[in-house]
Amino acid sequence: MNVDLFDFDLPEERIALRPASPRDAARLLVVRPNAPQPLEDRGIRDLLSLLQPGDALVLNDTRVIPSRLRGRRYRGEDSARVEIMLHKRESEDRWLAFARPAKKLAVGERVVFDSEAASNACELGRLHAEVIAKGEGGEVELQFSLTGAYLDEAIERLGELPLPPYIAGKRPTDSADTTDYQTNFARKDGAVAAPTAGLHFTPELLAALDARGVSRHFVTLHVGAGTFLPVKADDTDEHRMHAEWGTVSPETAAALNAVKAKGGRIVCVGTTSLRLIESAAAEDGTIRPFSGDTAIFITPGYRFRAVDLLMTNFHLPRSTLFMLVSAFCGLDVMKRAYAHAIAANYRFYSYGDGSLLFRAG
């Protein structure tokens, strides 16, 4: 499909720079493609009436790590500043990353990361990496001087929280973001971007959904920085997705299959949960255990196997995520929904309002 079909104009003032407070005070646009009135303005707390006993929430429990690293690359006696955005772990000591500037980085070069607060003489304040491969679009593969938990500790100490560029370009990251940009159920380190639909849930809302009879099930998909990359191709067939690692446990797969067997609905919280569940689903809709990389790219024409409802925030124009929601509800429906959201002053993107999408067909 032509990527231009997924374009729309978004006024800058619609981009949320801070989340709603409390989290579940955000608005919720309900989209029912097959209803006479497909759009309904509600709030996040209305999930208590929109979801039914027996439904199952699928939540992504990944935790965002401070994956933006600043360092200096060395070539003989020459050196220059470089910024690295980690996006996918390849092994105990290797990461794929996006570098800026990337053109001046060469295979075999060394990058030294240090904390401005640490003395250059203090080895604990230093982390080294070698560029072992270069890819397209500024991607590099780095092999670090530390491994396993030692590398994790160094990244936690030296890295910065990677706010999305549409927020980071307008204000600096601050202490509030360390809480605001994590879900309340984040527990498995590895993401470099938050599963933002999950940011709307408070412990009180989750407890109320429990009492309503809506079950909770966790999967893990470590969201990569590729989620922010624009689609540069003119046709969707020419776009290459960056792989992300995820897992659906045997216990979670069995529980979700039991929900479906009893007539309950699978409600994915976030496009990350949906992409993982659809990666794990068989042709007949049975959800299988899954562990590994997924690069699933969902565009209109895709036949959804397992997911019935999707809760998600509002996405960027020409993005793979807007293509996904257009596949879920229909392109014309989602264009009308987004036009309505813009006119009705909904707040967009990671810290913005949410939507609850019912699958078309």
Side-chain angles (χ1 to χ4, degrees), residues 63-69 86 89 95 115 124 127 144 146 148-162 178 182 188-191:
R63 178 180 175 274
V64 182
I65 63 171
S67 55
R68 178 177 284 112
L69 297 168
L86 305 176
R89 192 168 200 156
W95 276 85
S115 168
L124 289 177
L127 175 67
F144 286 90
L146 299 176
Y150 296 104
L151 176 57
D152 297 341
E153 181 182 348
I155 291 171
E156 194 74 27
R157 181 177 65 251
L158 300 173
E160 301 173 12
L161 191 74
T178 60
Q182 299 280 11
K188 295 182 180 177
D189 289 352

Side-chain angles (χ1 to χ4, degrees), residues 167-341:
I167 297 176
K170 294 178 180 294
R171 67 165 179 83
T173 303
D174 58 32
S175 59
D177 293 306
T178 60
T179 300
D180 290 342
Y181 201 57
Q182 299 280 11
T183 65
N184 281 312
F185 41 81
R187 59 190 181 192
K188 295 182 180 177
D189 289 352
V192 302
T196 54
L199 298 178
H200 296 295
F201 287 86
T202 61
E204 294 78 13
L205 177 59
L206 288 170
L209 287 166
D210 289 344
R212 172 125 173 99
V214 177
S215 58
R216 263 188 276 166
H217 309 272
F218 292 99
V219 297
T220 305
L221 185 80
H222 291 323
V223 192
T227 190
F228 299 129
L229 295 180
V231 177
K232 295 181 179 179
D234 294 327
D235 192 281
T236 56
D237 289 342
E238 300 169 359
H239 178 69
R240 180 181 68 88
M241 293 285 284
H242 284 83
E244 296 165 314
W245 184 89
T247 183
V248 180
S249 71
E251 296 78 13
T252 294
L256 293 176
N257 289 329
V259 166
K260 295 284 280 188
K262 295 178 181 177
R265 299 175 297 182
I266 303 298
V267 184
C268 278
V269 176
T271 56
T272 60
S273 297
L274 180 145
R275 292 177 62 246
L276 185 54
I277 291 298
E278 289 293 316
S279 297
E283 284 289 334
D284 65 356
T286 301
I287 299 169
R288 302 164 296 192
F290 181 93
S291 182
D293 288 347
T294 178
I296 188 172
F297 183 22
I298 297 176
T299 59
Y302 176 86
R303 184 180 68 83
F304 289 88
R305 300 173 179 179
V307 179
D308 301 297
L309 282 81
L310 170 63
M311 180 180 168
T312 185
N313 285 14
F314 294 96
H315 304 295
L316 281 73
R318 301 173 64 90
S319 65
T320 61
L321 301 184
F322 184 62
M323 294 172 190
L324 184 155
V325 297
S326 296
F328 199 76
C329 287
L331 178 57
D332 290 342
V333 170
M334 289 314 300
K335 282 193 167 183
R336 291 201 301 273
Y338 272 50
H340 172 85

Side-chain angles (χ1 to χ4, degrees), residues 43-113:
I44 295 293
R45 293 168 187 157
D46 290 325
L47 288 171
L48 291 169
S49 59
L50 293 164
L51 302 184
Q52 303 168 1
D55 287 344
L57 283 179
V58 181
L59 302 138
N60 186 0
D61 63 5
T62 189
R63 178 180 175 274
V64 182
I65 63 171
S67 55
R68 178 177 284 112
L69 297 168
R70 302 182 192 276
R72 185 170 289 275
R73 60 113 177 134
Y74 288 87
R75 182 184 302 160
E77 297 297 320
D78 297 329
S79 70
R81 299 299 299 179
V82 63
E83 180 179 303
I84 297 293
M85 172 66 79
L86 305 176
H87 81 84
K88 183 175 183 291
R89 192 168 200 156
E90 292 290 273
S91 71
E92 289 292 283
D93 64 349
R94 291 187 295 118
W95 276 85
L96 294 178
F98 295 108
R100 190 172 64 179
K103 291 182 179 179
K104 295 183 179 180
L105 270 181
V107 172
E109 285 188 329
R110 183 171 59 104
V111 181
V112 178
F113 306 97

